[in-house]
Amino acid sequence: MVKGELFIVSGPSGAGKSTICRIVRKQLGINLATSATTREPREGELNGRDYYFLGVEEFKEKIQNKEFLEYATVHTNYYGTLKSEVEARLATGENVILEIDVQGGLQVKDVYPEAHLVFFRTPTSEDLERRLRGRKTDSEETIQLRLKNSLEELKYEDKYDITITNHTVEKSCEELVKIINSKN
Ligand code: ADP
Ligand code: 5GP
């Protein structure tokens, strides 16, 4: 039976995961596995496209109903991968890319040991701060929390199979495409 490959992309907030994955998914025709979150939508984000934006009670109900492949508290909000976004796609041979935090990444690896773990980081911590600020989507408080949490997240890098240091968007996209193509 043809089975799709599962790619888990993690790394500090601002490392460039969404930017690179958006381009690569489009290039390779891979559908987005939409996560659920209790965080507020950012300007321009759409429910069902960027995330399923849920209330805390609704999220907890889905935990109870075992609808999540994994979930975690990240930067004070719940985030989770719905089984419904992943299982059928893999079974029908689609590749799936999950952009999730390191705690979630390792939970998924337990369920799918054959998953490929890809870690994203910036060349320097100054680049990370500059890019987080440049995104202009987060308050100062949120930026500070994300920078603080990035130090914790970077400790997980050696548990991942491969690291992409995001120097330029073009080069990082090339690297990710190469990784995906090499597993198919
Ligand atoms: P993440 O999804 O990891 O939180 P984003 O994809 O939102 O990160 O990227 C954070 C910011 O950095 C965005 O404004 C994005 O346009 C910018 N960015 C991404 N990759 C690069 C790069 N290689 N060089 C400069 N800026 C980048
Ligand atoms: P953001 O709020 O910037 O969209 O995402 C914040 C963090 O949550 C990022 O590290 C992102 O990878 C992570 N994240 C997004 N979706 C999920 C998910 O479904 N599960 C887990 N564990 N983390 C997620």
Side-chain angles (χ1 to χ4, degrees):
M1 192 180 70
V2 191
K3 242 182 111 264
E5 296 291 328
L6 178 58
F7 299 88
I8 301 170
V9 171
S10 305
S13 183
K17 304 178 295 294
S18 318
T19 305
I20 308 304
C21 288
R22 194 181 311 125
I23 298 169
V24 167
R25 274 198 313 270
K26 204 164 164 196
Q27 196 177 329
L28 299 181
I30 299 174
N31 291 315
L32 173 67
T34 306
S35 291
T37 183
T38 58
R39 91 149 155 73
E40 291 294 317
R42 293 182 186 134
E43 207 177 307
E45 282 185 331
L46 286 182
N47 187 33
R49 185 191 70 182
D50 299 288
Y51 279 105
Y52 296 108
F53 293 101
L54 306 179
V56 173
E57 286 314 313
E58 223 178 333
F59 198 102
K60 285 185 176 165
E61 206 175 292
K62 291 192 186 297
I63 296 175
Q64 288 290 325
N65 294 339
K66 303 204 181 314
E67 290 180 52
F68 289 111
L69 176 57
E70 61 74 33
Y71 67 92
T73 304
V74 190
H75 316 312
T76 71
N77 287 301
Y78 279 123
Y79 290 82
T81 309
L82 292 158
K83 290 178 184 168
S84 57
E85 293 284 314
V86 175
E87 289 174 347
R89 289 186 188 160
L90 286 178
T92 53
E94 277 187 50
N95 288 320
V96 174
I97 305 176
L98 300 179
E99 281 170 57
I100 62 178
D101 93 304
V102 289
Q103 311 163 71
L106 296 180
Q107 287 180 53
V108 176
K109 181 80 178 173
D110 280 345
V111 183
Y112 291 99
E114 67 280 22
H116 312 289
L117 297 180
V118 182
F119 194 88
F120 266 72
R121 61 179 301 158
T122 49
T124 67
S125 55
E126 288 78 18
D127 291 314
L128 185 68
E129 180 160 358
R130 199 175 317 116
R131 289 179 195 175
L132 259 182
R133 290 190 186 286
R135 193 165 66 184
K136 294 190 173 18
T137 52
D138 304 295
S139 65
E140 182 59 28
E141 189 188 359
T142 302
I143 289 172
Q144 291 301 336
L145 178 67
R146 287 176 181 235
L147 286 173
K148 182 169 157 270
N149 290 349
S150 73
L151 300 176
E152 206 47 48
E153 283 162 321
L154 285 167
K155 291 183 189 159
Y156 286 77
E157 182 182 352
D158 63 357
K159 297 194 188 309
Y160 275 62
D161 300 315
I162 193 154
T163 293
I164 294 179
T165 303
N166 182 13
H167 291 276
T168 68
V169 171
E170 195 185 3
K171 181 105 194 321
S172 300
C173 287
E174 264 174 35
E175 280 185 56
L176 185 57
V177 166
K178 209 165 155 190
I179 293 166
I180 294 174
N181 285 340
S182 75
K183 306 298 177 191
N184 280 274

